[in-house]
Amino acid sequence: MSKKNKLRIIPLGGLGEVGKNMMAYEFGNDIIVVDAGIMFPDNDMLGVDYIIPDFEYLVKKASHVRALIITHGHEDHIGAIQHFIEQINVPIYATPLTRGLIEGKLSRNNAQHKANIKTVQAGESTHIGPFKIEYFHISHSIPDSVGLGITTPAGLVVHMSDFKFDHTPVDGWPTDFAKLSEFSMRGVDLLLSDSTNAERPGWTPSESVIGPAFDKVFAEAKGRVIVATFASLISRVQQVADAAAKSGRKMALAGPSMVDNVKIARKLKYLEIPDELIVPIEQAGNMPDHKVVIMCTGSQGEPSSIVGRLSAGTNRQFGLKPNDTVVLSSHPIPGNEESISKTINRLLRQGANVIHDGIAPVHVSGHAAQEEQKLLINLVRPKHFMPIHGELRQLKRHADLAKQVGIEEANIIVVENGQVVELVGNKILLGERIPGDYVFVDGESIGDIDHDIMKERGQLARNGILLIDISLDKFSGKLLHEPEILTRGFVTPAEAETLLPEIRKRVMQAVNGGDMDNEKEIVSTIKSYLHQETKRRPMVFVTLSKT
Amino acid sequence: MSKKNKLRIIPLGGLGEVGKNMMAYEFGNDIIVVDAGIMFPDNDMLGVDYIIPDFEYLVKKASHVRALIITHGHEDHIGAIQHFIEQINVPIYATPLTRGLIEGKLSRNNAQHKANIKTVQAGESTHIGPFKIEYFHISHSIPDSVGLGITTPAGLVVHMSDFKFDHTPVDGWPTDFAKLSEFSMRGVDLLLSDSTNAERPGWTPSESVIGPAFDKVFAEAKGRVIVATFASLISRVQQVADAAAKSGRKMALAGPSMVDNVKIARKLKYLEIPDELIVPIEQAGNMPDHKVVIMCTGSQGEPSSIVGRLSAGTNRQFGLKPNDTVVLSSHPIPGNEESISKTINRLLRQGANVIHDGIAPVHVSGHAAQEEQKLLINLVRPKHFMPIHGELRQLKRHADLAKQVGIEEANIIVVENGQVVELVGNKILLGERIPGDYVFVDGESIGDIDHDIMKERGQLARNGILLIDISLDKFSGKLLHEPEILTRGFVTPAEAETLLPEIRKRVMQAVNGGDMDNEKEIVSTIKSYLHQETKRRPMVFVTLSKT
């Protein structure tokens, strides 16, 4: 087979989940991109709002990029579209609900005019350059999700995005098993599959288990019920609406993204909620508590979310009441456990009742567990297998599962973001590594924060700073006045009272004694003194003016 | 009953686990203190090494404090003893192994001479002022743990520290059911019990399930096995030794606290490890890989631990080899999930195999789950119940369990640290709140870091700093030279190249134009400019000298 028949598979981003936020498929001079999402920062990524994948590789080949294909409407798959189309403005392919959510998000950021979106339906296919893309329905925690069958001259690739095999999903539309079998009969050269739950044994429960749990909570709650989840967890909104109707409560929505998304999903008929069930949040405030459900964001304990503000007592639109029942309808994203726990404690401290997935099945995962992952592999029977959507620990486990169900070890490839994989001559090979990392977004700065800055922030944060301002007479070299010292994040006022005069004295002695006449020497002397006294190492800055 | 018959129960510390690190019982002019441990900082407690409870209340009443009683040898129960006895040097009561571990820890900090430790055995009792204290054995993940029966004129209190009902513990010594039943027959006025796993249904598996899991891992590992756990998890060391012997491997210990603790526990016969099974770590380096087990610390992903350094490639004593199997024999402490995950990924990236409790039962919890918690309450049948050793979310769940098994709601009291509880006249009441919080330890500074400092560190960390040094002619008010600007954690060198000259220009224009002649005005102008340009808010400092 000719070397020209080479499909390059490129997962983009940093050391997080592989290919979750962006993947590229490159064949000759044509590139299609799958998904453009954001990631949330780790706890040690100080001051970062969110992260997008570094797609410099694609920018350099922008004239080759033909399309951006979006598998579903979650933030980690659509959140970076705005940044992407600013640099590579190609047509975007998405199913109707996904399209609606993308448009809603872009319009909240005043960028809707920039996007050229084409609607596709599960079951349809599009031809883009050498790629034939078949969209097929997969069930996930948001309706209208698709997987992709990508036929190229190098072979047939099945790209499963986030999925589970829910036989009784909220929207009644299970994963398209027939299509997967059909691919299998055609012969699949490479399967890429969701590794999120590769460490979880068994089978992820159906979303339908949540209904009865909600019914019970709604019936037993004496006051209001406040349900927090992601604004894009559209299926959950349907379940809350159903439970509200059954329990004789009205539903109010809080938060712009929640209000927007529900409006879009109702308009597009992905949510069936009668008008009379929904009341404006202001009206809900005047209704008896046991007649009210409020649906809002903040299930991850984000301080700026509605539940975050409720827990801190700083929500303006409405406050928490002692009889409220707060339902956190989600599972902690790894790294958020601590802030969620603090939020739960704060809510309890105010007298609210809190229900989370550790207490009742008010949430189930949207991702396939091990038995489903094995079933997928057996349904598709691919020649090659590449686990995606997980960190290395999940990818390795997923690779083990593939081995267990009979994929040859040599045909399984585990890589991290930035490592190109090549499908060529019926073989799967490692290609080159491309530069590729996280791009940190902080304020309006995209990519102006790098790992060095993060390191400096870590240093500032660990021990604080100490500034010394020294003015010398340029003729005598003597101090013109006492050094001025300022600290932040270093010592309490009480400790400063004893420490600072001592520093001042040492600087004065040294400078006037002629021992030190440059900033570097002073910094190093003061640093060793501080470490000796406090065993801490603040950043020390000296401004020295000779006049 | 006289008001004088009042027992005051005082959990000390901040908004963490209640009474975990320190509890006080006060009756009239006599106080006994139970445990003196440390906590590890939350992710947002920047630059803090560890936390101890604020025991200022006890310091003020130091002449009333009669004893410090230690329930078991884990860090969160013994780690603050050194700080405690520096201020309140009372006799310490501990069982033999606990005593050994305390002495080991104090001697590593050169403080062993300060402690007056009295050995007590499970089954014995001591009289201290109005308190009769009966020590009874409880099983936990460390041998020689005790619960306390505290008889006072106000009634009989049973204080369960960390415990589980393991029927087949590693040391063959289960919780003393008979003693609990005997208390029950006498009539227990108040039970305080471990809430750690109050959200976990069922029954915590016995430590004995770990043995077969280790056997399998040790037999299948092609190269070395490196087992990481807490240095104080003495029972786990026995299990590793047993599995090593069975698989024909020798065991080496790495890390001073691990080496020390094993030495102490072997000397006291709490560990049965034949001499020939143990080899020095240097010798292990010269043996065939499949003949070696290394036992070390770092199961929580701590960067400075041995596994942390192995994952980063910075461990001096020995490095990681591609065929190594690393076993993390512990469960993530809440808040550590992210750093553990990163450590696992780093180990895998170097080619090691990693086994953790999500893959095989190489760890079980040391704490009672719901069914055990209910069993304890039914065994003891107390009049009153107070959940301890948990955050509010666990305490509330534990209180629910107590209600389920028939404790009257009015007789259950849920409080957080700093809230005094009073047992008086056969009733349980809220007392006053005492000042009490975390005390942060950073370097050698104890309590010199407070919440304000932490807040400043957060500000420094989120956006970095910008310093401007301005020298003015004191007669003309004009700049003597261009302002000098320095940043840390704010902008990349590339961004600084365009931003800094602009700031310099603005400062010069404003100062020379006479618009600004004080630091405050300059700071505020520059801050708004920076926010407008970058949407970020670094801390801005101006040093202005007029000469």
Side-chain angles (χ1 to χ4, degrees):
Chain A
M1 197 173 283
S2 148
K3 267 255 166 173
K4 282 188 184 161
N5 270 343
K6 183 165 74 178
L7 177 69
R8 286 159 56 80
I9 299 135
I10 310 167
L12 294 154
L15 288 177
E17 295 193 70
V18 171
K20 177 92 173 185
N21 311 117
M22 191 176 289
M23 291 273 297
Y25 291 92
E26 180 174 23
F27 190 91
N29 288 335
D30 296 281
I31 297 173
I32 56 170
V33 181
V34 178
D35 293 331
I38 59 171
M39 273 183 59
F40 294 102
D42 294 346
N43 285 308
D44 59 358
M45 295 176 183
L46 300 162
V48 173
D49 296 330
Y50 59 89
I51 300 168
I52 61 175
D54 177 356
F55 51 86
E56 194 54 34
Y57 177 85
L58 299 175
V59 172
K60 283 194 181 137
K61 295 195 170 186
S63 65
H64 295 182
V65 180
R66 308 289 168 226
L68 172 61
I69 297 161
I70 305 295
T71 59
H72 63 286
H74 282 160
E75 277 299 301
D76 48 354
H77 295 258
I78 71 168
I81 290 178
Q82 189 189 343
H83 304 297
F84 188 85
I85 59 176
E86 267 170 20
Q87 300 202 60
I88 307 175
N89 200 352
V90 291
I92 301 169
Y93 295 79
T95 57
L97 178 63
T98 306
R99 177 188 185 138
L101 295 171
I102 295 169
E103 285 171 341
K105 180 158 178 83
L106 291 175
S107 96
R108 282 195 296 281
N109 294 320
N110 295 313
Q112 70 274 37
H113 55 281
K114 293 182 187 160
N116 167 18
I117 310 183
K118 297 180 188 296
T119 302
V120 291
Q121 301 277 0
E124 292 182 356
S125 59
T126 49
H127 288 81
I128 301 171
F131 303 100
K132 178 188 173 197
I133 297 147
E134 293 167 86
Y135 308 90
F136 58 97
H137 184 71
I138 56 185
S139 58
H140 184 42
S141 45
I142 184 169
D144 227 8
S145 300
V146 289
L148 309 173
I150 307 173
T151 305
T152 73
L156 169 60
V157 175
V158 174
H159 177 112
M160 290 300 276
S161 187
D162 297 349
F163 83 100
K164 64 192 287 192
F165 281 140
D166 193 339
H167 296 300
T168 51
V170 177
D171 63 358
W173 194 4
T175 296
D176 190 344
F177 289 97
K179 189 73 190 175
L180 288 169
S181 309
E182 193 242 313
F183 286 137
S184 175
M185 289 192 312
R186 265 196 256 167
V188 173
D189 295 284
L190 172 63
L191 170 67
L192 300 94
S193 173
D194 177 6
S195 311
T196 311
N197 281 345
E199 292 183 356
R200 206 179 285 194
W203 193 284
T204 301
S206 168
E207 303 278 322
S208 63
V209 307
I210 296 171
F214 276 173
D215 288 344
K216 186 162 183 286
V217 170
F218 284 36
E220 287 174 2
K222 288 181 190 112
R224 301 183 299 184
V225 176
I226 299 170
V227 182
T229 194
F230 295 106
S232 57
L233 213 50
I234 302 295
S235 316
R236 204 54 49 83
V237 179
Q238 183 68 58
Q239 294 181 293
V240 171
D242 294 346
K246 273 197 209 169
S247 67
R249 294 171 185 262
K250 300 286 184 192
M251 180 162 87
L253 302 163
S257 54
M258 183 64 80
V259 171
D260 261 27
N261 287 354
V262 171
K263 200 164 148 192
I264 292 161
R266 288 181 73 203
K267 196 177 137 204
L268 295 171
K269 311 280 186 213
Y270 287 91
L271 277 177
E272 285 182 33
I273 307 178
D275 286 341
E276 60 273 19
L277 195 71
I278 298 188
V279 295
I281 185 81
E282 300 76 20
Q283 191 181 324
N286 298 322
M287 292 171 62
D289 288 345
H290 68 281
K291 291 286 179 196
V292 174
V293 176
I294 298 172
M295 180 113 213
C296 62
T297 57
S299 56
Q300 294 293 315
E302 314 91 315
S304 61
S305 69
I306 292 181
V307 165
R309 296 198 309 255
L310 282 174
S311 80
T314 58
N315 195 47
R316 283 192 207 166
Q317 225 174 8
F318 62 99
L320 201 67
K321 299 182 187 180
N323 254 337
D324 285 343
T325 297
V326 180
V327 180
L328 301 180
S329 185
S330 76
H331 190 70
I333 293 176
N336 289 352
E337 295 85 353
E338 193 173 276
S339 68
I340 293 174
S341 236
K342 285 185 184 177
T343 305
I344 291 174
N345 289 333
R346 279 191 211 107
L347 294 167
L348 291 170
R349 213 165 277 140
Q350 292 187 54
N353 184 19
V354 181
I355 311 280
H356 52 81
D357 70 338
I359 294 183
V362 292
H363 177 74
V364 294
S365 172
H367 300 271
Q370 291 178 349
E371 293 308 313
E372 291 155 278
Q373 291 171 338
K374 288 189 268 185
L375 174 58
L376 175 73
I377 298 170
N378 265 333
L379 274 170
V380 174
R381 294 308 308 163
K383 170 112 199 262
H384 302 100
F385 179 70
M386 175 174 163
I388 55 170
H389 293 196
E391 297 179 9
L392 202 45
R393 58 184 288 183
Q394 287 97 21
L395 303 184
K396 293 261 188 190
R397 289 289 283 163
H398 205 175
D400 286 343
L401 297 176
K403 247 182 283 175
Q404 283 171 27
V405 298
I407 306 293
E408 271 180 52
E409 189 160 357
N411 291 349
I412 301 172
I413 196 158
V414 174
V415 301
E416 292 196 272
N417 287 325
Q419 173 63 57
V420 178
V421 167
E422 296 181 345
L423 183 66
V424 57
N426 215 6
K427 283 207 160 57
I428 196 151
L429 306 167
L430 287 179
E432 85 278 22
R433 277 203 68 88
I434 58 164
D437 196 351
Y438 296 130
V439 172
F440 301 114
V441 182
D442 175 10
E444 288 208 339
S445 307
I446 296 158
D448 289 329
I449 310 296
D450 59 15
H451 289 282
D452 290 337
I453 296 232
M454 218 67 77
K455 216 169 150 187
E456 286 180 356
R457 287 182 176 180
Q459 285 165 357
L460 290 168
R462 268 192 300 282
N463 287 313
I465 58 171
L466 184 131
L467 314 182
I468 309 176
D469 184 30
I470 301 172
S471 300
L472 298 184
D473 183 292
K474 66 177 155 187
F475 302 108
S476 68
K478 303 281 180 201
L479 283 160
L480 287 169
H481 51 73
E482 283 207 349
E484 286 175 34
I485 303 179
L486 179 152
T487 76
R488 286 288 187 280
F490 174 46
V491 283
T492 54
E495 197 186 1
E497 243 175 65
T498 59
L499 196 64
L500 267 42
E502 191 58 34
I503 298 172
R504 217 169 274 127
K505 209 175 87 190
R506 274 159 195 266
V507 172
M508 286 164 73
Q509 279 171 352
V511 172
N512 286 336
D515 297 342
M516 295 187 296
D517 68 343
N518 69 61
E519 292 164 12
K520 223 172 147 185
E521 273 177 30
I522 301 175
V523 166
S524 119
T525 306
I526 296 305
K527 272 191 166 170
S528 2
Y529 172 69
L530 292 175
H531 187 247
Q532 173 201 316
E533 287 295 304
T534 67
K535 288 282 176 296
R536 279 177 273 158
R537 300 186 185 281
M539 281 183 130
V540 175
F541 302 96
V542 169
T543 53
L544 185 68
S545 46
K546 299 185 190 181
T547 46
Chain B
M1 198 172 285
S2 146
K3 267 255 166 172
K4 283 189 182 159
N5 269 344
K6 185 164 73 178
L7 177 69
R8 287 159 55 80
I9 299 134
I10 310 167
L12 293 155
L15 289 176
E17 294 192 71
V18 171
K20 177 92 173 185
N21 311 118
M22 191 176 290
M23 292 272 298
Y25 291 92
E26 181 174 21
F27 190 91
N29 288 335
D30 295 282
I31 297 173
I32 55 170
V33 181
V34 179
D35 292 330
I38 59 170
M39 274 183 57
F40 294 102
D42 295 346
N43 285 308
D44 59 359
M45 296 175 182
L46 301 163
V48 173
D49 296 331
Y50 59 91
I51 300 169
I52 62 176
D54 177 357
F55 51 86
E56 193 55 32
Y57 177 84
L58 299 175
V59 172
K60 282 191 181 140
K61 295 195 172 187
S63 65
H64 295 183
V65 180
R66 308 288 167 226
L68 172 61
I69 297 161
I70 305 295
T71 59
H72 63 286
H74 281 160
E75 276 300 301
D76 48 353
H77 294 258
I78 71 168
I81 290 179
Q82 190 189 343
H83 304 298
F84 187 85
I85 59 176
E86 267 170 20
Q87 300 202 61
I88 307 175
N89 200 352
V90 291
I92 300 168
Y93 294 79
T95 56
L97 178 63
T98 306
R99 178 189 185 137
L101 295 171
I102 294 170
E103 286 171 341
K105 182 161 176 80
L106 291 175
S107 95
R108 282 195 296 281
N109 294 318
N110 295 314
Q112 70 275 37
H113 55 281
K114 294 182 187 160
N116 167 17
I117 310 183
K118 295 177 188 299
T119 302
V120 291
Q121 301 277 1
E124 293 181 354
S125 59
T126 49
H127 288 81
I128 301 171
F131 302 101
K132 178 187 173 197
I133 297 147
E134 292 166 87
Y135 307 90
F136 59 96
H137 184 71
I138 55 185
S139 58
H140 183 42
S141 45
I142 184 169
D144 227 9
S145 300
V146 289
L148 309 172
I150 307 174
T151 304
T152 72
L156 170 60
V157 175
V158 173
H159 177 110
M160 292 298 277
S161 187
D162 298 350
F163 83 100
K164 64 190 288 191
F165 282 141
D166 193 338
H167 296 300
T168 51
V170 176
D171 62 358
W173 195 3
T175 297
D176 189 346
F177 289 97
K179 190 72 191 176
L180 289 168
S181 309
E182 195 243 313
F183 287 137
S184 175
M185 291 194 310
R186 266 194 256 166
V188 173
D189 295 284
L190 172 63
L191 169 67
L192 300 95
S193 172
D194 177 7
S195 312
T196 311
N197 280 345
E199 292 183 354
R200 205 178 286 191
W203 193 284
T204 301
S206 167
E207 304 278 323
S208 64
V209 307
I210 295 171
F214 277 173
D215 287 344
K216 187 162 183 287
V217 170
F218 284 37
E220 287 175 3
K222 289 185 190 108
R224 299 183 302 183
V225 177
I226 299 170
V227 182
T229 194
F230 295 106
S232 56
L233 213 51
I234 302 293
S235 317
R236 204 55 48 83
V237 179
Q238 183 67 57
Q239 294 180 294
V240 171
D242 295 346
K246 273 197 211 170
S247 67
R249 294 171 185 261
K250 300 285 182 192
M251 179 161 87
L253 302 162
S257 54
M258 183 64 81
V259 170
D260 262 26
N261 287 353
V262 171
K263 200 165 147 192
I264 292 161
R266 289 182 72 203
K267 196 177 137 203
L268 297 171
K269 312 279 184 215
Y270 288 90
L271 278 178
E272 285 181 33
I273 308 178
D275 286 341
E276 60 273 19
L277 196 70
I278 298 188
V279 294
I281 185 82
E282 300 75 22
Q283 191 181 326
N286 299 323
M287 293 171 63
D289 289 345
H290 68 282
K291 292 285 178 197
V292 174
V293 176
I294 298 172
M295 182 115 214
C296 63
T297 58
S299 56
Q300 294 293 315
E302 313 91 316
S304 62
S305 69
I306 292 180
V307 166
R309 295 199 308 255
L310 282 175
S311 80
T314 57
N315 195 46
R316 283 191 206 165
Q317 226 174 7
F318 61 100
L320 201 67
K321 299 184 187 179
N323 253 337
D324 285 342
T325 298
V326 180
V327 180
L328 301 180
S329 184
S330 77
H331 189 70
I333 292 175
N336 289 353
E337 296 85 353
E338 195 174 275
S339 68
I340 293 173
S341 236
K342 285 184 185 178
T343 305
I344 292 174
N345 290 333
R346 279 191 211 107
L347 294 167
L348 291 169
R349 212 166 278 139
Q350 292 187 53
N353 184 20
V354 181
I355 312 281
H356 53 80
D357 69 338
I359 293 183
V362 291
H363 177 74
V364 294
S365 173
H367 300 271
Q370 291 179 349
E371 293 308 314
E372 291 155 278
Q373 291 171 337
K374 287 189 267 185
L375 174 58
L376 174 73
I377 298 171
N378 266 334
L379 274 170
V380 175
R381 293 309 307 162
K383 170 112 200 262
H384 301 100
F385 178 72
M386 175 172 163
I388 56 171
H389 294 197
E391 297 180 10
L392 202 45
R393 57 184 289 183
Q394 286 97 22
L395 303 184
K396 294 260 188 192
R397 289 290 283 162
H398 205 177
D400 286 344
L401 297 177
K403 247 182 283 174
Q404 283 171 28
V405 298
I407 306 294
E408 272 181 51
E409 189 161 357
N411 292 348
I412 300 171
I413 196 158
V414 175
V415 302
E416 292 195 272
N417 287 326
Q419 172 64 56
V420 177
V421 167
E422 296 181 344
L423 183 67
V424 56
N426 215 5
K427 282 205 160 56
I428 196 151
L429 305 166
L430 286 180
E432 86 278 21
R433 276 202 68 87
I434 58 164
D437 196 351
Y438 296 130
V439 172
F440 301 114
V441 181
D442 175 9
E444 288 209 338
S445 308
I446 297 157
D448 289 328
I449 309 297
D450 58 15
H451 289 282
D452 290 337
I453 296 229
M454 219 67 77
K455 218 169 148 186
E456 286 181 356
R457 288 182 177 180
Q459 285 165 357
L460 290 168
R462 268 192 300 284
N463 287 314
I465 58 171
L466 183 132
L467 314 181
I468 309 176
D469 185 30
I470 301 173
S471 300
L472 299 184
D473 184 292
K474 67 176 156 187
F475 302 109
S476 68
K478 303 284 181 200
L479 283 159
L480 286 170
H481 49 73
E482 282 207 352
E484 286 175 34
I485 303 179
L486 179 154
T487 76
R488 287 288 187 280
F490 173 46
V491 283
T492 54
E495 197 187 2
E497 241 174 68
T498 59
L499 196 65
L500 268 41
E502 191 57 35
I503 297 171
R504 218 169 272 128
K505 209 174 88 189
R506 273 159 196 265
V507 172
M508 287 165 73
Q509 279 170 352
V511 173
N512 285 335
D515 298 341
M516 295 186 298
D517 67 344
N518 68 61
E519 293 164 12
K520 223 172 146 184
E521 272 177 30
I522 300 174
V523 166
S524 117
T525 306
I526 296 305
K527 272 191 167 172
S528 1
Y529 172 70
L530 292 175
H531 187 247
Q532 172 201 315
E533 287 296 303
T534 68
K535 287 284 175 295
R536 279 176 274 158
R537 301 185 184 280
M539 281 183 132
V540 175
F541 303 95
V542 170
T543 53
L544 185 68
S545 47
K546 299 184 189 180
T547 45

